[in-house]
Structure formats: structure tokens, C-alpha cells
Amino acid sequence: MKVISNQRMFGGEQLRIEHPSESLQCVMRFSVFMPHGLSSQNPVPVLYWLSGLTCSDENFSTKAGAQRVAAELGIALVIADTSPRGAAVPDDDSYDMGQGAGFYVNATQAPWKAHYRMYDYIAHELPQFVATHLPVNANKAISGHSMGGHGALTIAIKNPAQYTSVSAFAPIVNPMACLWGQKALARYLGDDRSEWAQYDSVELIKEHGLSLPLLVDQGTADEFLAEQLLTENLATVLSEKTDADIRFQSGYDHSYYFIATFIEEHIRFHAKYLLA
Amino acid sequence: MKVISNQRMFGGEQLRIEHPSESLQCVMRFSVFMPHGLSSQNPVPVLYWLSGLTCSDENFSTKAGAQRVAAELGIALVIADTSPRGAAVPDDDSYDMGQGAGFYVNATQAPWKAHYRMYDYIAHELPQFVATHLPVNANKAISGHSMGGHGALTIAIKNPAQYTSVSAFAPIVNPMACLWGQKALARYLGDDRSEWAQYDSVELIKEHGLSLPLLVDQGTADEFLAEQLLTENLATVLSEKTDADIRFQSGYDHSYYFIATFIEEHIRFHAKYLLA
């Protein structure tokens, strides 16, 4: 592993790390905030963050203001990139396919399938890498925004023993029913819609239920709410017995100003389980 | 005035506002956070923020995390641009002259003097505009980063009755003695160094003293400390009777991660005077 940058923040270290990825067959970067520093002997739990379309690992690091509370509580933040990267990795001219738009799936179709295995990378390879190289303990939670909220939800629903808790900001909850999801799933997975269902939170909860605590914040002024995010479809499939809180925040949009406003509540939500 | 964008944040409103500037002879934009909203009947004090080289009004708005504490305390944030802007405004190929690099002076030399009057804009025109159009009271403080820290210090030292308090992150305290300052002051003001002294914090304090409370944070790992910022020169000219606190923060660099770490302490410092 190669530390590209290391900057002090809130008494801890904000790092960018580069490593070759086996799942993605390319060199990847991720950002991490270590509240007690990289060389600490004090292992801490990790909150994984997955970003949205067009983002890299840097949007959340620079704009969300999450490190303050993570430092206070002693929680590491691992902030992933949103797709495989590099000149050898297939790309697309549109912002919602290819690099920056991996949708956290394992692609099965050409030309994507050689590199676009973001599900494996986030669910398996990255946590393994982090556990091997950074002073963390076994407790993990996961959160994300928009496409990254979709990634956090689907990965947590399918791997409930791996995470203490899951949360999301403005997630794409039902990609099979919106244009962003239909385009990406058709091109990464082919035309068989039964393949798509394994990456659709609403369909996964219908089939498997939800067995870990969930918090979702959705702004009512979000320009993507009605056509792409479909938050009501998630609320509909959650049973009353589920430990899930879906909150509509009046007047908030899809931006990092919305995330910055509520990130403290998300980190404190996860801390109840990560530090238990 | 034209509201370009308005986004909810921490229960308030984060706005970008466009207006024609008389001082600068161009259309300017600034950002503002109004803790109780634009149409509030509850006037609040204002903390002005001046940014560094290459920045616009958006860097601090998106990266510093200042709105949380401003919302809690009921303080507006007005975040200025760093120079006149537009195709008709003279520019320079280097990052440290021209657009993005106004240095908060009134230029006297061609081709700069028709537009580059950032001192007048920040010290007089912008506060007048804000007082006329936004629900603010008469209390004002000022802060900034790097070139903007230089701007905040010089403007406050020269107009102590106008501000309750001044603070800065990694300010250029003695521009006459560093390359950034020597280049900008020579080109904006000409070769007469006596003209430069009116925009040099160290020289101004030698001449006028310092008659308002001051807080400065400077990272010890800041790559510009030794050659451009010269913080020790400021500490040297401050008398023991002055209400000034110059803090060296171990291991912090010149970035917004440093600002984000200490902005809460700066806002609470100003709040003691703004809300008194």
C-alpha cells in the first residue's frame, strides 16, 4: 500500500491510500480518516462511506464535515471510490455509466465485466485490505449517498452479519424502477431482470427482510426524489417490526449541504452499534 | 441583487448572490449563510470571510464546516470572492496575480487600477450592500485564510471601529517581506514601498498598534510558513498589552482540513464580541 497524502485533521490523520485491486484489476485509491493516527495501537471500528455518481473518494472527505464527530467518538472513516479507474478501464461518455458510476455491482457483460466488480471490492476486498493494513477492530458499519446509498443498502442487506448498522442519504432504493438504475443494470448485467433484483434494495427486502438497524434521510426538495430515488417504495416494503427510520427532511436538496447537516446524526446512530 | 442559488443547510439558508459592484466595475458573486433564513425578521451579526489565492466564494462554503456553529449561535457568514471577475477584467497567467489574487488592495497601476479595488469592496461596498439587503444587525467581525488572512488583518487594523474582532488562519502577515507580497504589491501599487506599507499587517501594527481582539492559528507543517507567511514577524510586533492570541498548531498544514479543525473555535471567539 502507498500513502499518497497524510494531513492532520481534528487531531487524527486524513489519508489517501493507493493499492492494486484484485477484484477490479486496476490501481485504486481510497481516503481514510484515522482518529488516533495511522500508527496508533488503539484499534477502532470503521464506518464505510460510498459516494454517488461522478464522485471520487474526495467529495465526502472535503465536504461532509464528518471527521469532527468521528474524532470525538473514535471511529475510522473509510471513503471508497465509485468505480474502477485508469486508461485501461472501459468508460462511457455519459456521467451515469462507466468510470464514476460503478453502481456497486459485479458486471457480467462486455466490455465491463473484466473491471467493474465494485460489489466484490466493497463487500470483500476493501474491508480485508483495511483490516490487514490499518489499526481497526472487527466492527463495521456502512453508509452512502445517492448511488452510494444504493450500494450501502444492498451490500448491508446481503451481508447483515458483516455490518452493525446501515444508513443512507437520498439513496436510489429501487433501481429497477428508475432510469438511472435501468440503464446501468441493463448494460452491466444484461437484459435478464432477475439478475437486476439482487442489486435492488426494495426487491432484496421483499425477499430477505432487513435484519440490521437502518437510518435513511431524504430531502423533500431533492430534484431526483420523484423520478430516481423513489424513497416511498422503501418505506412501503419495510415491516413495522423492522428497526428502520426513514426521515423526510423538509426543504433539503441532493447536495453535500444536506449531507453535512445530518452526518453527525448518522455517525451517532452507527456509534450506538459500533461501540456497543 | 440576484439570488443564484438557495440551499437549506443546518435549518438556515446557504445562498449565492450576484450584484453589480461599483468599486470593482464588474458583476460580483458572494456566498452567505443566513442562520434563520433570508426572509427572517430576526437580524443577526455577520462574520465576513476572505479566502486565499485561487479561491472563489465557494471554497469556504463547501469545505470549512462553519455553518453548523453559525446556525447554533445565530451568526450570518458572508463569504467574498477574491478579486474582480469577468472577461473585461485584466488577468495574468500566474496563480498569484490577477483574477483570484486581488490581495485586498486598491490598485494604482495599469492595467489593474480600473477594477482591482478589493480593499474598497470588502471594507465598504460589500458591508453596505449586505446591510441594505439582508436581515443583519450592525455587529461585524472578519476572518480569512492565507491571502484572505492578510486581507482580514489589514482591513480590521485600519478600521477597528467597524469590527468587533478579527481572526485569521495561516495569514500572510508581512507581505513586504515575502515573494507573494512583493510581486503583488509591486504590480498593483508600483515601486514605492511606502505605498505597500498600508497593506502590510506588521507595518500597520508598528504604526497604529492593534485595538481589537485578535486570534491567529498557524499550522507548523504548513509548506508556506517559513518563506511566505512569516507568522513570527506578527508575534514580534504585538505588545504584551494587546488582546492577541497567536497559536502554532502542531502538524497542521495549509489546507481546508486545518481550517475545518479550528473554525469552531474562531466562530466562538468572534461570538463573544458579536453577541455581547
Side-chain angles (χ1 to χ4, degrees):
Chain A
M1 102 171 178
K2 182 172 152 193
V3 175
I4 299 173
S5 62
N6 183 347
Q7 297 176 269
R8 187 159 293 180
M9 188 177 194
F10 289 103
E13 294 179 48
Q14 178 72 38
L15 305 123
R16 290 191 88 192
I17 291 172
E18 192 172 273
H19 72 120
S21 164
E22 177 72 23
S23 321
L24 305 175
Q25 292 292 306
C26 65
V27 172
M28 290 294 287
R29 292 181 173 185
F30 66 92
S31 286
V32 57
F33 176 70
M34 295 302 305
H36 308 306
L38 191 59
S39 60
S40 170
Q41 300 303 305
N42 177 16
V44 291
V46 181
L47 174 61
Y48 284 84
W49 176 267
L50 306 183
S51 295
L53 286 167
T54 76
C55 289
S56 74
D57 58 301
E58 291 198 289
N59 303 66
F60 183 81
S61 306
T62 57
K63 294 183 173 180
Q67 294 93 340
R68 180 182 59 87
V69 184
E72 175 199 324
L73 298 173
I75 295 172
L77 304 171
V78 171
I79 305 144
D81 203 349
T82 53
S83 75
R85 298 283 184 181
V89 172
D91 202 359
D92 188 278
D93 287 340
S94 56
Y95 76 97
D96 54 0
M97 271 300 296
Q99 294 191 33
F103 271 88
Y104 307 101
V105 303
N106 289 336
T108 58
Q109 305 298 304
W112 314 106
K113 61 185 178 181
H115 293 282
Y116 282 76
R117 301 187 63 83
M118 284 297 289
Y119 177 84
D120 280 352
Y121 178 69
I122 299 295
H124 305 304
E125 184 179 357
L126 183 59
Q128 184 62 50
F129 182 91
V130 166
T132 305
H133 293 92
L134 301 176
V136 300
N137 67 30
N139 287 359
K140 294 187 288 293
I142 190 164
S143 184
H145 174 230
S146 196
M147 177 184 75
H150 146 75
L153 288 171
T154 52
I155 290 168
I157 295 165
K158 292 164 79 167
N159 301 276
Q162 191 168 316
Y163 302 98
T164 60
S165 43
V166 58
S167 76
F169 293 80
I172 304 169
V173 303
N174 195 180
M176 295 177 73
C178 77
L179 288 176
W180 275 342
Q182 289 161 357
K183 175 178 175 179
L185 297 174
R187 293 181 65 187
Y188 289 134
L189 304 177
D191 292 333
D192 180 357
R193 289 174 61 98
S194 67
E195 294 293 317
W196 302 8
Q198 63 182 308
Y199 298 110
D200 184 299
S201 296
V202 165
E203 294 301 320
L204 287 166
I205 290 172
K206 276 187 202 167
E207 173 131 1
H208 303 290
L210 175 71
S211 56
L212 73 177
L214 168 70
L215 172 64
V216 169
D217 274 315
Q218 174 61 56
T220 63
D222 186 325
E223 64 269 40
F224 301 114
L225 173 55
E227 297 195 348
Q228 303 281 12
L229 305 176
L230 311 177
T231 317
E232 288 292 359
N233 295 5
L234 178 65
T236 301
V237 296
L238 289 168
S239 77
E240 285 181 16
K241 286 177 292 184
T242 307
D243 182 9
D245 195 1
I246 315 284
R247 311 190 302 189
F248 287 88
Q249 301 289 1
S250 180
Y252 287 87
D253 68 11
H254 200 68
S255 73
Y256 268 85
Y257 289 138
F258 161 61
I259 297 172
T261 301
F262 297 104
I263 191 67
E264 176 166 1
E265 293 181 36
H266 282 241
I267 296 175
R268 293 193 189 281
F269 160 79
H270 290 293
K272 282 188 295 182
Y273 309 101
L274 283 172
L275 303 172
Chain B
M1 103 172 176
K2 182 171 152 193
V3 174
I4 299 172
S5 62
N6 183 347
Q7 297 175 269
R8 188 159 292 179
M9 190 177 193
F10 290 103
E13 293 178 50
Q14 178 71 40
L15 305 123
R16 289 191 88 191
I17 291 173
E18 192 172 272
H19 73 120
S21 165
E22 178 72 23
S23 321
L24 304 175
Q25 292 292 306
C26 64
V27 172
M28 290 294 286
R29 291 181 173 185
F30 66 92
S31 287
V32 56
F33 176 70
M34 295 301 306
H36 308 305
L38 192 59
S39 59
S40 169
Q41 299 304 304
N42 177 15
V44 290
V46 182
L47 174 60
Y48 284 83
W49 176 267
L50 306 183
S51 296
L53 286 168
T54 77
C55 289
S56 75
D57 58 301
E58 292 198 290
N59 303 66
F60 183 81
S61 306
T62 56
K63 294 183 174 180
Q67 294 94 340
R68 180 182 60 87
V69 184
E72 175 199 324
L73 298 173
I75 295 172
L77 304 172
V78 171
I79 304 144
D81 203 349
T82 53
S83 75
R85 297 284 184 180
V89 172
D91 202 359
D92 189 278
D93 286 341
S94 56
Y95 76 97
D96 54 359
M97 271 300 295
Q99 294 191 33
F103 271 87
Y104 308 100
V105 304
N106 289 336
T108 58
Q109 304 298 303
W112 313 106
K113 62 184 179 183
H115 294 281
Y116 283 76
R117 299 186 64 84
M118 285 297 289
Y119 177 84
D120 279 352
Y121 178 69
I122 299 295
H124 305 304
E125 184 179 357
L126 183 59
Q128 184 61 52
F129 182 91
V130 167
T132 304
H133 292 92
L134 301 177
V136 300
N137 67 31
N139 287 0
K140 294 187 288 293
I142 191 164
S143 185
H145 174 229
S146 197
M147 177 184 76
H150 147 76
L153 287 171
T154 53
I155 290 169
I157 295 164
K158 292 164 79 166
N159 302 276
Q162 191 168 317
Y163 301 98
T164 60
S165 42
V166 57
S167 76
F169 294 79
I172 303 169
V173 304
N174 196 180
M176 295 178 74
C178 76
L179 289 176
W180 276 341
Q182 288 161 356
K183 175 179 175 179
L185 296 173
R187 293 181 64 186
Y188 289 134
L189 304 176
D191 292 332
D192 180 356
R193 289 175 61 97
S194 68
E195 294 293 317
W196 302 7
Q198 63 181 309
Y199 299 110
D200 185 298
S201 295
V202 165
E203 294 300 320
L204 286 166
I205 290 172
K206 276 187 201 166
E207 173 132 0
H208 303 290
L210 175 71
S211 57
L212 72 176
L214 167 70
L215 172 63
V216 168
D217 274 315
Q218 174 60 56
T220 63
D222 186 325
E223 65 268 40
F224 302 114
L225 173 55
E227 297 196 349
Q228 303 281 11
L229 304 176
L230 312 176
T231 317
E232 288 292 358
N233 295 4
L234 178 65
T236 302
V237 296
L238 289 168
S239 77
E240 285 180 16
K241 287 178 291 184
T242 307
D243 182 9
D245 194 0
I246 315 284
R247 312 190 301 188
F248 287 87
Q249 301 289 1
S250 180
Y252 287 86
D253 68 12
H254 201 66
S255 73
Y256 267 85
Y257 290 138
F258 161 60
I259 297 172
T261 300
F262 298 103
I263 191 67
E264 175 165 1
E265 291 180 37
H266 282 240
I267 296 176
R268 293 192 188 282
F269 161 78
H270 290 294
K272 282 188 295 182
Y273 309 100
L274 284 173
L275 303 172

